[in-house]
Amino acid sequence: MIRFFRSGNPLTVLLLFIYTLLIKFYYLLHPSSFQADGSEGLVYNLLTTWLEGLVGKSPLFFTTIALLMQFLQALLLTRIINNHRLFPKDNYLPAMSFLLFTSLLEAWNVFSPALILNTIMLWIFSSIADLYMRPSARDVAFNMGFALGIGGLFYFPAIIFAALLLISLLIMRSFRLAEWIIGLLGLICPFYLLGTWLFLTDRWEMVPQLPVIGFNLPVITDYKVWGALIVSLLFFVIGWLLLQRNYSKMLIQGRKIWATVVVHAVVAVLVPFFSVHFSAGYWVLAVLPVSLFAGNVFWSISNNTFANAIHVIVLAYVIVMQYFSH
């Protein structure tokens, strides 16, 4: 199995789709409606209300949309990684890892603001990777801030990713205050535009719904959450350690991009703590950068038998958690 995903053959996309159906079939058998716990942003609420008007609260519809979004995110992630040569050769291992690790927890397969935000973060990640080669990054900084602001309309704690934006500018480029300011202006812009539209359409009473944020330090008692976190953390650490073997041989741009991926993972872990109601489902934001390091684990193991054995162990754990645990 690993041998096929190690290949950069475009036909691997078909195998990846079949893999998605198999590993996430449980969630199609037991679909869930969209996430709505009070931490969502105004635009997300408007979107789900509109979708409810079209299809009702169909769990199968929302679960299907969620799984299709994850499959497309896996493909976009692969394209970004291969375009920027983060691995010695083109491969689909990070995409496979993303689909595998998002299957560790049922809450990571529910239509949610975090799932929409992951799509936006992929675009931001691609833009960050391009920063190093640009003579001026003011337009890119504004666009990244603007995209992050749109993400904040779906899930307000996403604005904490502004830390990723600023640190990435510092890592990828020499410090330029103007780029930081323009990036922050881009972050504010979507809120200003939406507030203006609400005012002009006499919906001003909805403005207080925009900044939905809180702070929680929960006590996690669900063993499934702990299992998913431990497996993800283990692969993140091992992937980072294996990366050090060839880190000094990488191009400067590649090293800087990997450094921003680490920052992305750290910030994504912190974001859910600022929700009004804490939910482990929002940690799917961290699975995106972690999947790059998990992909590096499978890539660095030259023995396909050993790599397949590790994959089977994780896959078996996923299946047990899906079908044989309550």
Side-chain angles (χ1 to χ4, degrees), residues 1 8 35 39 42 50 78 88-89 104 110 124 142 146 165 172-173 208 213 242 260-261 263 269 281 295 310:
M1 179 67 74
Q35 181 170 334
S39 300
L42 175 60
W50 176 70
T78 298
K89 294 181 181 179
L104 287 169
V110 176
I124 292 176
F142 180 85
F146 190 86
L165 172 62
M172 300 298 292
R173 304 174 56 78
I213 196 167
L242 291 174
T260 63
V261 176
V263 177
V269 168
I310 294 176

Side-chain angles (χ1 to χ4, degrees), residues 1-2 5 15-25 27 67 70-71 73-74 77 92-106 108-109 227-229 231-232 235 284 287-288 290-295 297-298 307-322:
M1 179 67 74
I2 296 298
F5 289 119
L15 177 61
L16 193 68
F17 182 72
I18 297 173
Y19 182 80
T20 304
L21 292 178
L22 292 176
I23 200 171
K24 297 183 180 293
F25 188 67
Y27 304 118
L67 300 187
Q70 288 187 346
F71 175 70
Q73 288 167 2
L77 180 64
Y92 286 84
L93 289 173
M96 181 208 75
S97 299
F98 177 72
L99 295 170
L100 176 63
F101 278 64
T102 51
S103 302
L104 287 169
L105 193 65
E106 184 173 2
W108 292 347
N109 297 271
L229 292 178
V231 173
S232 300
F235 273 80
V284 72
V287 179
L288 189 63
V290 166
S291 62
L292 273 75
F293 290 94
V297 172
F298 291 112
N308 281 322
I310 294 176
H311 174 254
V312 168
I313 291 173
V314 179
L315 184 60
Y317 175 81
V318 168
I319 293 173
V320 169
M321 289 297 103
Q322 289 178 346

Side-chain angles (χ1 to χ4, degrees), residues 247-285:
Y247 195 74
S248 60
K249 300 177 184 178
M250 294 182 184
L251 297 175
I252 296 176
Q253 181 182 9
R255 296 202 297 267
K256 289 178 176 289
I257 294 173
W258 276 107
T260 63
V261 176
V262 174
V263 177
H264 186 170
V266 173
V267 175
V269 168
L270 297 177
V271 168
F273 293 111
F274 293 89
S275 300
V276 174
H277 303 286
F278 176 83
S279 171
Y282 288 111
W283 269 326
V284 72
L285 294 168

Side-chain angles (χ1 to χ4, degrees), residues 138-199:
R138 294 184 179 184
D139 55 339
V140 179
F142 180 85
N143 291 338
M144 289 193 296
F146 190 86
L148 192 54
I150 293 176
L153 296 178
F154 287 95
Y155 177 55
F156 190 76
I159 63 171
I160 296 169
F161 277 114
L164 170 64
L165 172 62
L166 298 180
I167 295 174
S168 296
L169 284 170
L170 192 61
I171 292 174
M172 300 298 292
R173 304 174 56 78
S174 57
F175 174 72
R176 292 179 175 87
L177 181 60
E179 294 175 356
W180 284 41
I181 294 174
I182 291 173
L184 293 176
L185 288 175
L187 175 64
I188 297 170
C189 193
F191 295 94
Y192 173 78
L193 294 175
L194 180 62
T196 301
W197 178 76
L198 292 175
F199 176 74

